[in-house]
Amino acid sequence: MALVETVPGPTAQHTTLSGEEATAQAERKTRRLRWILLTPALAIICGIGIMPLSIILVYSFMSPGPYAGISWEPTFDAWISLVLERDIFDDTLQLNDAHISILFRSLWLALLTTVLTLIFGFPLAYFIATRPARQRNLWLFMISLPFWSNLLVRTFAMMLFLRDDGYINNVLLLIGLIDKPMILIYTEFAVAVGLVYAFLPLMVMPLYASMEKLDFRLIEAGYDLYANRLQVLRRVIIPLVKPGIVAGCILVFIPAIGSWVTPKLLGGGKGLMVGNLISNQFGTSRDWPLGSAIALFLMLMVMIALIIYVRNSTAARDHG
Amino acid sequence: MTPSKTDSSVDGSVAIEAINITKIFGSGADEVRALDDVSVTIRENEFFTLLGPSGCGKTTLLRLIAGFEHPTAGQILLSGSAIGHLPPFQRPVNTVFQNYALFPHMTVAQNIAFGLEMQGKPRAEIDDTVKQMLLLVRMQALAERQTSQLSGGQQQRVALARALAPRPNVLLLDEPLSALDLKLRKEMQIELKRLQHETGITFIFVTHDQEEALTMSDRVAVMNEGKIRQIGTPREIYDHPGERFVAHFIGETNFVEGELISANGSTGQVRLTSGAEVPASLPAERVAPGRVSLVIRPEHAELTENPDAGVFQGQIDNVVYFGTDTHYYLHLDDGTPFMVRLQNQRDEVSTFARGSRAGVTVKGNAAQVLLD
Ligand SMILES: Nc1ncnc2c1ncn2[C@@H]1O[C@H](COP(=O)(O)OP(=O)(O)O)[C@@H](O)[C@H]1O
Ligand SMILES: [Mg+2]
């Protein structure tokens, strides 16, 4: 570069780029290449992420069509009827108890599922992580085995257990613990059981991943410094596997709150969740705008919950 | 003083007493006898070192004292009372772990405070003690650091402070210096001695480095293959090794054969293969007259100019200059290799050259008869 500058005359200036210009050009080139390489991923994100979302956003502000679909008349009706309903006699707006109870039930069942999978999954993951290395893969395989079959099939299998003449009632009747079948299926309880069963592996996997990295000598250090079992759990193990707990809770909570098959088959009328409510709008109720509005509302709720949750758990970690 | 394998003559109050401890891991074909009938008594305020090669059971003995393992047989007394039934968190014993095992989710100060918090000490006292400990290990400036941002030596200090903060009766240190480089290790050796002196806490220190053991300890137990081979002060261990293993493991040594012809208390007379007789120290256990092995340290022997004088005669194979001293490698007339270490004087030229013959004399009764 210094050489180029010291050569006088117009030829040098025209035929050679200065060093700065050359690097700038190279940089432009790599930047272009970067965008080209990103294109497939961006296309997927836009095509199957943002586009459909935009469509439901638009639909949610339209009126329902006569048979299905929408008619292009803008209105806030769908968003209003999310939680309110027009009284059929005096036309006043009132809270829509059915929708509100379904929304709360979804939230409650998703939280319950998350807490229960954490309570069952934590010792399970700890157990697997403390097995000799060669046994761990076998345990993980067995934990993930249910994933190999369809959720629908597994839920039908659950029905065989929970039905009035299912295995649980039959066994209890046989040993004389009860004298008439308990009502298990088509209750919130049945949905909770189904959800915990379906999502337990999603909790165990990330928990196991962080427990596997846990330095067990730290646990001994805790015991050595006068911490009893509970204190070691609270002060040493839980803070160290927190990333796994956060990941597991997110992985369980999100699909749980939007679940559809489990409440549909095990919940009956009393166990409907928001997923069923949405699907009803696109099916029998023929109210696509309302279905879109509920779907967006659910997404918004989950996002807010996540932001609060992640912010809290990282703040807690920063403060030790 | 005579070397002894058992450890009955302990005065002062006793901190830890291990009685006939055996520890077996696994079973059947995989059985490992990590400790085999080990008995040792450690006094209060003592800097006691377990020295031995890797795999000899040092860590296992510490883990038994800390409560992480349970003995297959035998028992451990702490200040005279049995602690076998106590879990680790109820034993007034703390450990400095080999890899420090600092809590990565806590700051330096939080690490040091941990044990005190678990003991349920009031906050003001905890803060006070943490401050004292930081001062003691010279880490005041780094109290709020995350432990991942510390150097090896600093982590070492935090581990020490954390283990000392609850004022345990006994501090167990498992090769705490082995991960440090040489310069830092020397520094920490001095630091550890100072800490032990200032706190008055009994230290049980584990190392496989014989020099570290000799320089730091009040007493040393030399271990091999799950057994304690000898217990004594560094000087006793060095000057009066009881067995071939101990003599070999600590310092450089010459082994020669001879015949014990008379014994009188702790000394005896040994006839060497050269026909010469030397006085020698005897081990505490009785040794029958007859063939024995002798240990003679290289610095306890001298060369004579007259190749026919001295108790041995031999040929010098090699001469190595070390600055402070010179090492002469000989083979004696009966074939035994023998090394003599002579201190150098300034500008003095050695008269003993490679290939020449020389006689070897032994100072006083520097020869030690071995049990094996
Ligand atoms: N948990 C264990 N299971 C099986 N064998 C063990 C266990 N801990 C130690 N050992 C064995 O016991 C012997 C002594 O080990 P250790 O006390 O760690 O020796 P050191 O600390 O002196 O190097 C070794 O042979 C080791 O393999
Ligand atoms: Mg060890």
Side-chain angles (χ1 to χ4, degrees):
Chain A
M1 191 183 123
L3 186 73
V4 171
E5 279 172 358
T6 50
V7 174
T11 46
Q13 274 170 11
H14 285 291
T15 53
T16 334
L17 286 169
S18 83
E20 254 166 59
E21 264 178 66
T23 49
Q25 201 179 44
E27 216 165 80
R28 272 198 297 278
K29 212 170 173 182
T30 51
R31 209 175 300 151
R32 206 179 308 138
L33 186 67
R34 207 178 293 157
W35 279 108
I36 291 169
L37 291 174
L38 275 176
T39 309
L42 289 174
I44 290 173
I45 290 171
C46 293
I48 69 177
I50 294 173
M51 285 272 294
L53 265 182
S54 319
I55 292 171
I56 29 178
L57 183 66
V58 172
Y59 276 21
S60 73
F61 290 104
M62 297 297 155
S63 312
Y67 300 105
I70 52 151
S71 65
W72 294 98
E73 297 158 29
T75 168
F76 288 108
D77 273 1
W79 285 97
I80 290 167
S81 55
L82 194 67
V83 286
L84 300 174
E85 66 183 342
R86 221 169 275 282
D87 194 291
I88 45 172
F89 298 112
D90 57 13
D91 219 31
T92 54
L93 284 173
Q94 291 178 335
L95 285 179
N96 186 331
D97 291 339
H99 286 186
I100 289 173
S101 75
I102 287 178
L103 285 171
F104 270 103
R105 183 185 301 129
S106 304
L107 189 66
W108 151 245
L109 281 176
L111 282 175
L112 185 69
T113 304
T114 310
V115 171
L116 287 178
T117 50
L118 183 59
I119 289 174
F120 296 137
F122 195 94
L124 190 56
Y126 190 84
F127 173 80
I128 299 174
T130 48
R131 289 314 90 194
R134 268 189 298 154
Q135 282 177 31
R136 288 184 212 159
N137 283 337
L138 183 68
W139 281 103
L140 285 177
F141 172 72
M142 292 193 334
I143 292 292
S144 58
L145 204 55
F147 271 167
W148 294 41
S149 69
N150 186 286
L151 178 62
L152 199 60
V153 177
R154 279 184 282 145
T155 312
F156 275 122
M158 289 294 289
M159 293 175 78
L160 293 180
F161 281 86
L162 296 170
R163 273 194 331 222
D164 290 354
D165 60 344
Y167 299 137
I168 294 177
N169 274 319
N170 280 351
V171 168
L172 290 180
L173 283 170
L174 202 70
I175 61 174
L177 268 177
I178 50 174
D179 47 18
K180 60 179 194 313
M182 292 189 298
I183 300 164
L184 295 174
I185 200 164
Y186 308 133
T187 58
E188 278 187 18
F189 169 77
V191 180
V193 170
L195 289 177
V196 168
Y197 166 67
F199 294 126
L200 189 60
L202 287 181
M203 180 61 86
V204 172
M205 294 294 172
L207 276 179
Y208 166 77
S210 59
M211 281 179 190
E212 195 207 8
K213 281 179 278 172
L214 186 65
D215 182 355
F216 285 89
R217 285 168 296 198
L218 295 176
I219 296 173
E220 287 193 343
Y223 285 132
D224 190 63
L225 292 161
Y226 311 106
N228 58 34
R229 281 164 206 286
L230 198 67
Q231 287 167 321
V232 165
L233 179 69
R234 229 169 49 76
R235 296 288 307 270
V236 181
I237 300 176
I238 289 181
L240 289 174
V241 300
K242 194 147 202 176
I245 296 176
V246 172
C249 288
I250 291 173
L251 279 183
V252 170
F253 180 78
I254 294 176
I257 199 169
S259 57
W260 179 80
V261 171
T262 312
K264 173 107 180 153
L265 294 185
L266 300 177
K270 281 178 248 151
L272 280 186
M273 288 176 68
V274 61
N276 309 105
L277 188 60
I278 296 170
S279 93
N280 281 351
Q281 305 314 314
F282 289 95
T284 46
S285 298
R286 291 181 187 166
D287 193 343
W288 286 26
L290 179 57
S292 306
I294 302 172
L296 284 173
F297 178 75
L298 175 64
M299 212 178 117
L300 212 66
M301 288 296 101
V302 169
M303 265 161 70
I304 291 171
L306 269 190
I307 289 168
I308 293 171
Y309 177 60
V310 170
R311 190 169 288 173
N312 276 351
S313 49
T314 48
R317 188 171 51 225
D318 291 345
H319 290 113
Chain B
M1 182 57 218
T2 50
S4 71
K5 220 192 255 188
T6 51
D7 190 27
S8 46
S9 61
V10 170
D11 39 69
S13 31
V14 170
I16 292 271
E17 198 172 354
I19 305 167
N20 304 116
I21 295 284
T22 295
K23 176 67 189 177
I24 297 173
F25 289 109
S27 56
D30 300 331
E31 187 180 292
V32 178
R33 196 172 276 260
L35 291 174
D36 190 3
D37 198 23
V38 165
S39 293
V40 58
T41 305
I42 296 160
R43 295 169 207 150
E44 265 176 21
N45 302 347
E46 191 169 32
F47 197 117
F48 191 90
T49 297
L50 298 171
L51 171 67
S54 174
C56 71
K58 306 179 297 284
T59 298
T60 304
L61 186 52
L62 283 200
R63 290 175 61 80
L64 285 165
I65 296 172
F68 297 128
E69 306 280 358
H70 294 283
T72 311
Q75 64 170 338
I76 293 170
L77 307 182
L78 182 81
S79 313
S81 47
I83 53 169
H85 58 288
L86 294 179
F89 53 86
Q90 286 173 6
R91 299 187 183 195
V93 169
N94 286 151
T95 307
V96 176
F97 291 87
Q98 191 159 5
N99 61 329
Y100 317 135
L102 297 178
F103 300 123
H105 56 298
M106 298 181 195
T107 63
V108 168
Q110 284 167 341
N111 262 281
I112 299 174
F114 187 88
L116 300 161
E117 283 168 12
M118 294 302 115
Q119 284 181 319
K121 294 268 160 61
R123 193 71 240 175
E125 189 188 326
I126 294 176
D127 292 342
D128 258 15
T129 313
V130 169
K131 232 173 252 148
Q132 276 173 30
M133 286 300 140
L134 286 167
L135 205 68
L136 191 69
V137 296
R138 306 192 173 125
M139 289 282 290
Q140 307 92 297
L142 302 177
E144 297 309 318
R145 277 275 179 93
Q146 290 295 316
T147 53
S148 55
Q149 300 168 324
L150 300 178
S151 71
Q154 289 167 337
Q155 288 185 26
Q156 170 73 79
R157 283 161 201 271
V158 178
L160 271 169
R162 184 179 71 172
L164 284 170
R167 296 218 123 257
N169 292 11
V170 176
L171 188 73
L172 309 174
L173 303 102
D174 193 354
E175 309 210 15
L177 308 182
S178 60
L180 305 180
D181 60 46
L182 186 66
K183 185 167 169 292
L184 203 54
R185 192 153 72 221
K186 297 274 175 215
E187 258 174 61
M188 285 306 296
Q189 286 177 3
I190 296 165
E191 191 86 334
L192 271 179
K193 276 302 272 186
R194 176 180 72 84
L195 285 175
Q196 199 260 336
H197 191 74
E198 283 179 22
T199 57
I201 291 172
T202 309
F203 275 33
I204 305 181
F205 179 86
V206 161
T207 181
H208 62 257
D209 180 335
Q210 47 109 358
E211 191 189 319
E212 205 165 272
L214 293 182
T215 52
M216 298 177 74
S217 322
D218 294 326
R219 284 192 311 149
V220 180
V222 183
M223 294 179 69
N224 190 33
E225 291 177 349
K227 287 198 170 73
I228 291 187
R229 313 306 322 200
Q230 191 170 346
I231 298 176
T233 63
R235 188 167 280 277
E236 284 161 15
I237 299 270
Y238 185 82
D239 284 348
H240 300 281
E243 300 176 5
R244 194 169 275 265
F245 172 81
V246 176
H248 192 73
F249 193 71
I250 296 175
E252 282 170 302
T253 294
N254 298 302
F255 294 104
V256 294
E257 302 299 312
E259 190 185 352
L260 183 63
I261 48 176
S262 70
N264 179 15
S266 64
T267 54
Q269 198 72 11
V270 174
R271 182 181 297 129
L272 302 168
T273 48
S274 60
E277 287 180 16
V278 290
S281 316
L282 300 181
E285 288 85 349
R286 257 181 60 80
V287 184
R291 296 201 57 81
V292 290
S293 293
L294 284 173
V295 161
I296 300 167
R297 297 285 182 193
E299 67 274 22
H300 295 159
E302 269 172 1
L303 296 177
T304 58
E305 306 243 5
N306 177 355
D308 297 323
V311 293
F312 307 112
Q313 291 75 39
Q315 179 162 338
I316 300 176
D317 294 330
N318 212 348
V319 178
V320 183
Y321 176 77
F322 274 93
T324 53
D325 42 35
T326 303
H327 297 186
Y328 299 88
Y329 295 89
L330 292 84
H331 70 267
L332 304 180
D333 287 347
D334 64 355
T336 321
F338 199 94
M339 200 244 280
V340 176
R341 183 152 64 212
L342 296 181
Q343 220 163 41
N344 292 328
Q345 308 299 327
R346 194 157 178 248
D347 289 337
E348 173 204 59
V349 180
S350 168
T351 48
F352 304 102
R354 180 203 297 221
S356 64
R357 284 186 57 81
V360 178
T361 60
V362 177
K363 297 175 190 165
N365 62 350
Q368 169 74 40
V369 173
L370 295 175
L371 282 167
D372 56 352

